[in-house]
Amino acid sequence: MSERVSFGSRMGAVFAAAGSAVGLGNVWRFPYETGNHGGAAFILVYLGCVFIFGLPIMIAEFTIGRRSKACTGGAYSMLAPGTPWRWVGYLGVLTGFLILGYYSVVSGWTLEYIWQALTGGFSGKTSGDYVAMFQDFSQHPFRPLVWLLAILLITHFVVVKGVKDGIEKSSKIMMPLLFVLVILLAVCSVSLPGAEKGLEFLLKPDFSKLTPDVFLGAMGQAFFSLSLGMGCLSTYASYFGSKTNLGKTAMGVGLIDTFVAVLSGLIIFPAAFSVGIQPDAGPSLIFITLPNVFQQAFAGIPVLAYVCSVAFYVLLALAAITSTISLHEVSTAFLHEKFHFTRSRAAVLVTSGCMLVGIVSSLALGEWSAFKICGMNIFDALDFLTAKIMLPVGGMFAAVFVGWYLDKKIVRGEVTNYGLLKAPYYPIYVCILRFVAPIGILLIFVNELGLLG
Ligand code: PFF
């Protein structure tokens, strides 16, 4: 058991898990979901989902991973041999694979925007130009595919290089840098003329906007943003050392992740209102708003506009890559551990499969946009299916597994490091896993289907 590779330090574990959690979900998806669902009221429900479902389920996934010392695909079979629980692990692997497919497309967009920033493509343009620029690019049949391939190859390389050198080191450098830049940009955005309307949208809840969709959207966003519900963090936890404090790590990851999401909102909305971009612009929101922020906030100092825009997209790409790495790792570790492929062969299979899913998702925004499933193009349908259904279902099963199935000596042992730590939150934690999370998640599904009231 002890031969398994592990993160080099406890902080390394926090950084790697936070690296997985903080990504496009915070900077790209959180603002557009907030915009689509009416602003502040959505954020309140989101925060509720993070603290009520998210943190306990994260500790549960850590428990499953560290105890089994196996990737998610194998962890359930290891802890509950011969039972159907193994299907929950397989569901997680499938979910991660699908997410990686379309997530890599958006990660690829960040590379195009680095290129644009470097070559001065943002200067001297109007808001309308940025919209046209994004549409031309994202609907182009080939250009996004080149960047998609680039992202998948970078991810592939880091995953093959392994856990300690690849994943841990890269996260340790990138996370603090991203933090600093996000704070700086939020300050710039809030000081733009007309930014107050954006702040109001973000901070003043209108409870009449609380529809069932808001609850489903906020729950899906919480799972997506925290990398929960598909065994990603349980796979990482299988590399945790025996001294890692699971509760503290979960709290650290949850706080960092929420902080970056809220700050991203503070960057996007004041700027969007300031330049007259609709907050419900959807997936294009950050790609049309941010170039505006750079040009307007630093209008008199073009060098600063240039440096900040390059730095921002570089860090966004890096944040995306620490997440694509974690998504890739779930499928690679599964193929490696379950079917005994070498890690590099497993990684080749995953990269190739994701390239196919990515190509389909990318074309769905352009050439194939007329093809719809339940009124959504394939890109949106994949996002809906994975984030709003598969992740919450996976999270619910993880809660039930640890809350009801797993031996309580193990459950308590993992959060207290077998007696070395106090975990005063233990009774609340178990109560949430047993009742609050599964019932809450089910109610949100039932509510969405219109079966409540
Ligand atoms: N949490 C990542 C983000 O917010 O960008 C996305 C993600 C990574 C989702 C890993 C799920 C996952 F397992």
Side-chain angles (χ1 to χ4, degrees), residues 6 29 37 44 56 73 86 97 154 156 161 166 183 201-202 230 233 245 275 287 294 341 357 376 380 449-450:
S6 67
R29 200 176 186 283
H37 292 115
L44 284 181
R86 66 182 179 283
F97 177 77
I154 298 169
H156 180 96
K161 195 143 185 345
I183 294 175
F201 181 77
L202 207 58
M230 48 158 281
L233 293 185
N245 181 334
V275 294
F287 293 95
F294 301 123
F341 289 114
V357 180
M376 291 177 271
D380 291 336
L449 293 173

Side-chain angles (χ1 to χ4, degrees), residues 103-123:
Y103 193 93
S104 304
V105 173
V106 185
S107 309
W109 296 349
T110 64
L111 297 186
E112 161 81 10
Y113 273 64
I114 294 177
W115 176 250
Q116 292 293 345
L118 275 174
T119 53
F122 297 140
S123 65

Side-chain angles (χ1 to χ4, degrees), residues 314 318 338:
V314 168
L318 294 175
K338 171 100 182 158

Side-chain angles (χ1 to χ4, degrees), residues 117-171:
L118 275 174
T119 53
F122 297 140
S123 65
K125 292 210 162 79
T126 62
S127 306
D129 293 336
Y130 295 126
V131 176
M133 183 176 148
F134 177 77
Q135 281 171 352
D136 286 348
F137 164 68
S138 63
Q139 294 171 7
H140 194 277
F142 306 117
R143 254 182 39 224
L145 301 187
V146 175
W147 295 123
L148 163 70
L149 181 64
I151 283 287
L152 282 172
L153 289 181
I154 298 169
T155 307
H156 180 96
F157 177 75
V158 180
V159 169
V160 171
K161 195 143 185 345
V163 172
K164 200 156 152 189
D165 288 338
I167 302 177
E168 182 176 343
K169 272 199 191 136
S170 44
S171 310

Side-chain angles (χ1 to χ4, degrees), residues 18-29 96 99 103 221-233 257 319-320 322-324 326-327 330 391:
S20 164
V22 175
L24 296 172
N26 308 60
V27 185
W28 162 72
R29 200 176 186 283
I99 294 181
Y103 193 93
Q221 177 59 26
F223 279 97
F224 188 91
S225 189
L226 295 169
S227 303
L228 287 179
M230 48 158 281
C232 177
L233 293 185
D257 191 71
T322 48
S323 302
T324 54
S326 69
L327 287 159
V330 172
L391 293 181

